[in-house]
């Protein structure tokens, strides 16, 4: 069967004994990444600030949910503590939580700017800082960040978001260099999937965007998970500091 027809659920990894923390996992891409890791045998901790959605998501896939805002240090530290207390370890961190506050740059408010940077950049930093001591003590780990083609190409109306997502690429490469000696790899995916975040983009802009996808369609959230599984797997043990687009070619 050609690879492009392989259902994401058919991809198989063995993460039994591993603890995986996924942020922004109450829905969308994060939820599907969490679901995939549960299927691959991991103990999965879903982190989201939306408690109701999180509880339902955790129940539905057989994961643990920790309500936390990734932009708040105390919340992040509590979430990581909760994962470590449960299993004694944290093997994989997926920094996926994100928001949009789109507007052209001359109309962006301080709040639009600060919220987006605090969530994407601040969250990725805080979670990374919190898991590294545990991963070092264990002798290794995997960190997978979620960036965007917007950070690579720019996109009108997303100066705040593209600043944050480009920053995540620099952060990924810097932390990959800092943490390699401890057996910790740091990589990123650049997704493109039909989620509520995409649904919030106005129809005319969405049509414009869809027309730039070489594969002619948005991906599904489920299609993002195998790439994360690969980067977290033993097979990717010698890969660090890369950005893997899973985007139908939109970033080309
Ligand atoms: N959907 C796409 O095409 C696309 C493209 C490029 C990048 N991304 C990135 O992928 C990631 C997931 O996006 P999605 O499309 O699934 O979005 P989504 O809006 O469906 O889900 C995002 C989740 O993050 C949570 N969240 C937001 N702020 C948070 C915070 N401060 N603390 C904890 N949780 C928080 C939300 O409650 C929500 O559950 C984001 O980082 C996004 O920027 C998505």
């Amino acid at each position: 069967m050609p690879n492009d027809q392989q259902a994401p659920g058919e991809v198989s990894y063995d993460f039994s004994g591993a603890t995986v923390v996924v942020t922004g996992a109450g829905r969308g891409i994060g939820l599907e990444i969490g679901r995939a890791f549960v299927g691959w045998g991991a103990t999965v901790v879903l982190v989201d600030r939306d408690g109701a959605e999180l509880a339902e998501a955790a129940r539905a896939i057989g994961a643990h949910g920790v309500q936390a805002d990734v932009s708040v240090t105390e919340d992040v530290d509590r979430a990581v503590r909760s994962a470590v207390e449960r299993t004694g370890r944290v093997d994989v961190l997926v920094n996926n939580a994100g928001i949009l506050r789109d507007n052209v740059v001359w109309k962006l408010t301080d709040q639009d700017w600060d919220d987006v940077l605090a969530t994407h950049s601040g969250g990725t930093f805080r979670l990374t800082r919190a898991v590294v001591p545990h991963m070092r003590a264990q002798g290794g780990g995997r960190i997978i960040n979620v960036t965007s083609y917007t950070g690579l190409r720019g996109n009108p109306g997303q100066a705040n978001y593209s600043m944050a997502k480009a920053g995540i690429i620099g952060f990924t490469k810097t932390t990959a260099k800092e943490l390699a000696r401890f057996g910790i790899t740091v990589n990123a995916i650049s997704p493109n999937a039909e989620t509520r975040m995409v649904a919030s983009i106005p129809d005319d802009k969405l049509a414009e965007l869809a027309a730039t996808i070489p594969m002619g369609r948005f991906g599904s959230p489920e299609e993002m998970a195998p790439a994360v599984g690969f980067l977290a797997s033993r097979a990717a043990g010698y890969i660090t500091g890369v950005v893997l687009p899973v985007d139908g070619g939109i970033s080309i």
Side-chain angles (χ1 to χ4, degrees):
M1 183 190 285
N3 273 343
D4 61 353
Q5 287 180 20
Q6 186 176 33
E10 292 170 19
V11 179
S12 181
Y13 295 104
D14 181 6
F15 283 98
S16 45
T19 302
V20 178
V21 175
V22 188
T23 70
R27 64 171 192 246
I29 294 170
L31 172 56
E32 294 312 321
I33 291 171
R35 192 195 306 274
F37 274 105
V38 170
W40 297 328
T43 298
V44 176
V45 177
L46 307 180
V47 177
D48 206 290
R49 67 176 175 183
D50 182 335
E53 221 162 32
L54 175 68
E56 174 53 27
R59 192 201 51 73
I61 70 169
H64 307 281
V66 180
Q67 185 176 8
D69 183 334
V70 299
S71 66
V72 176
T73 300
E74 297 72 36
D75 277 26
V76 167
D77 292 348
R78 177 174 48 78
V80 171
R81 245 192 343 266
S82 156
V84 172
E85 276 165 9
R86 209 172 288 280
T87 61
R89 50 191 303 121
V90 53
D91 300 279
V92 180
L93 164 65
V94 184
N95 278 313
N96 167 80
I99 55 168
L100 296 179
R101 296 287 181 269
D102 291 359
N103 219 330
V104 283
V105 70
W106 63 94
K107 291 185 183 166
L108 278 177
T109 64
D110 284 357
Q111 196 73 55
D112 296 332
W113 183 265
D114 292 345
D115 287 351
V116 165
L117 271 290
T119 303
H120 293 274
S121 322
T124 300
F125 158 59
R126 285 179 172 80
L127 263 300
T128 300
R129 181 176 60 183
V131 300
V132 162
H134 302 288
M135 290 182 174
R136 281 186 64 178
Q138 286 163 204
R142 297 277 200 267
I143 300 173
I144 293 118
N145 298 322
V146 178
T147 182
S148 167
Y149 51 87
T150 300
L152 297 162
R153 294 193 337 188
N155 194 31
Q158 295 195 320
N160 49 357
Y161 184 73
S162 58
M163 174 76 107
K165 290 305 202 188
I168 285 174
I169 296 172
F171 183 85
T172 299
K173 291 174 189 284
T174 294
T175 51
K177 286 183 172 177
E178 286 182 357
L179 299 172
R181 83 187 85 148
F182 305 120
I184 302 169
T185 66
V186 190
N187 293 291
I189 65 157
S190 175
N192 180 26
E194 227 162 353
T195 62
R196 209 179 306 164
M197 180 176 279
V198 170
S200 73
I201 301 171
D203 285 350
D204 54 330
K205 290 269 175 260
L206 203 58
E208 261 174 45
L209 203 57
T212 69
I213 305 172
M215 285 191 175
R217 66 173 179 88
F218 286 94
S220 68
E222 293 84 357
E223 284 177 298
M224 307 299 117
V228 177
F230 167 67
L231 290 171
S233 74
R234 270 186 228 283
Y238 199 55
I239 298 175
T240 198
V242 307
V243 178
L244 177 57
V246 192
D247 66 359
I250 197 171
S251 59
I252 297 170

